[in-house]
Amino acid sequence: MTTIIDGKAVAASIIAAIKDTNAALQARTGKKTGLAVIIVGDDPASHAYVGAKSRMAKECGFFSVQHTLPKETTQQELAGLVHELNGDDSIHGILVQLPLPQHLDAEAIIQAIRPEKDVDGLHVANAGKLATGDLESGLISCTPAGAMVFVSNAHGRDLSGLNALVIGRSNLFGKPMAQLLLNANATVTIAHSRTNDLPSICRNADILVAAVGRPEMVKANWVKPGATVIDVGINRVPAPEKGEKKTKLVGDVAFAECAPIASVITPVPGGVGPMTIAMLMANSVIAAHRASGTKISGQLSTLIFG
């Protein structure tokens, strides 16, 4: 029987532990976890994402601040706000919603965030810590961190002897996902658009993670029987069966045909997606603990770190 991962349920268990952890921190130090979210411009999707993150932060009991800036905001103005938040002791995490308007240099803004407040895990210092196997003092990019929780739940924390394949090499997901798998002792391959004979490489993977943004690219004959399949893709495609001009969300994996082959698989939607916000909240409360000179413990530590 194939196990279909319920990402909402796993995320809910992490959020529940975050609430308890934040409450304990407040009782001990008198301070709540502080999260500042910055959004520039009027992109509807970005505003929807930011709204969801801000609501979740408040649900977790955080001190939550949202800075909504006009599209015309200059690089200097945005950098100035980041500098101000860097120096604010009530703010433990800073998130700049991407993409930014084209006239802004997103990379420069991300690197301007203090690494210990970089709850998106995109600063080069945090990427470097992950690359060198330091999972104790850095912050890990949220989506790969969430995907790794699924892998650990399926296989345990030690992946020795397992072949893992990550399709996609982005700095946001592919590279940090590969580093997490490698740190857990898997034998890791990264595939991408220039990889030859991708189906045969996939068929050797005990753990297959797809993050390329190509709707239902991974087919049943690509999947090793009994593999764990983590689908990170979110693609909107036409859904004529729902009516004229209707659409639906699908992943990078052809779920209906791959599910019977896999032993564990994530659906889209409802798989990795809910974990991204949960791990953002986790990074925020981790950053708050570090700022207070304490370490995460209890149920949240067990769920994330084992």
Side-chain angles (χ1 to χ4, degrees):
M1 290 289 293
T2 302
T3 298
I4 299 174
I5 293 174
D6 185 343
K8 291 182 180 179
V10 178
S13 67
I14 290 173
I15 292 298
I18 288 169
K19 292 177 182 178
D20 292 342
T21 303
N22 181 61
L25 176 69
Q26 186 177 2
R28 187 167 61 251
T29 67
K31 289 186 176 182
K32 297 181 178 181
T33 298
L35 176 63
V37 181
I38 303 171
I39 182 168
V40 184
D42 51 13
D43 178 69
S46 290
H47 275 272
Y49 292 141
V50 163
K53 292 168 184 175
S54 295
R55 286 191 298 273
M56 183 58 73
K58 290 176 181 176
E59 182 182 327
C60 288
F62 292 1
F63 169 55
S64 176
V65 180
Q66 180 175 321
H67 295 270
T68 303
L69 306 179
K71 184 178 180 180
E72 299 75 24
T73 298
T74 66
Q75 186 81 14
Q76 184 176 4
E77 289 169 337
L78 182 54
L81 176 57
V82 169
H83 178 72
E84 179 184 329
L85 294 170
N86 276 337
D88 186 342
D89 290 340
S90 70
I91 298 298
H92 305 104
I94 302 170
L95 168 69
V96 178
Q97 182 64 39
L98 302 177
L100 291 174
Q102 288 188 349
H103 70 280
L104 295 173
D105 183 347
E107 185 62 19
I109 294 300
I110 290 167
Q111 301 309 322
I113 299 171
R114 281 171 52 184
E116 60 268 31
K117 295 191 177 189
D118 166 41
V119 287
D120 251 348
L122 300 178
H123 194 283
V124 291
N126 286 319
K129 286 181 177 182
L130 176 59
T132 56
D134 177 5
L135 305 186
E136 295 297 320
S137 65
L139 292 167
I140 300 168
S141 185
C142 302
T143 304
M148 195 64 193
V149 171
F150 292 158
V151 173
S152 298
N153 287 349
H155 295 279
R157 300 287 167 173
D158 186 357
L159 306 180
S160 296
L162 297 177
N163 292 318
L165 171 67
V166 180
I167 310 175
R169 54 177 170 176
S170 69
N171 291 334
L172 184 64
F173 183 85
K175 290 175 184 175
M177 186 73 219
Q179 294 290 351
L180 286 169
L181 291 162
L182 187 63
N183 190 73
N185 300 319
T187 300
V188 182
T189 301
I190 302 177
H192 45 79
S193 60
R194 299 194 182 186
T195 299
N196 288 329
D197 198 7
L198 181 56
S200 68
I201 296 175
C202 288
R203 284 191 287 270
N204 191 47
D206 303 297
I207 301 166
L208 194 162
V209 185
V212 287
R214 292 181 59 183
E216 300 184 320
M217 178 186 76
V218 176
K219 306 299 184 185
N221 63 356
W222 293 29
V223 177
K224 180 180 180 178
T228 293
V229 179
I230 308 295
D231 190 351
V232 187
I234 301 178
N235 311 284
R236 189 166 291 279
V237 299
E241 70 277 9
K242 293 185 175 183
E244 188 177 357
K245 296 184 179 179
K246 295 292 185 180
T247 62
K248 63 181 178 181
L249 290 177
V250 300
D252 292 347
V253 175
F255 180 84
E257 64 179 80
C258 292
I261 309 299
S263 64
V264 177
I265 192 168
T266 61
V268 175
V272 174
M275 293 295 287
T276 300
I277 291 182
M279 299 311 291
L280 172 65
M281 299 301 121
N283 273 350
S284 300
V285 80
I286 288 168
H289 274 72
R290 290 175 180 166
S292 71
T294 58
K295 291 183 68 174
I296 289 284
S297 60
Q299 181 67 8
L300 181 59
S301 178
T302 301
L303 288 169
I304 298 175
F305 302 115

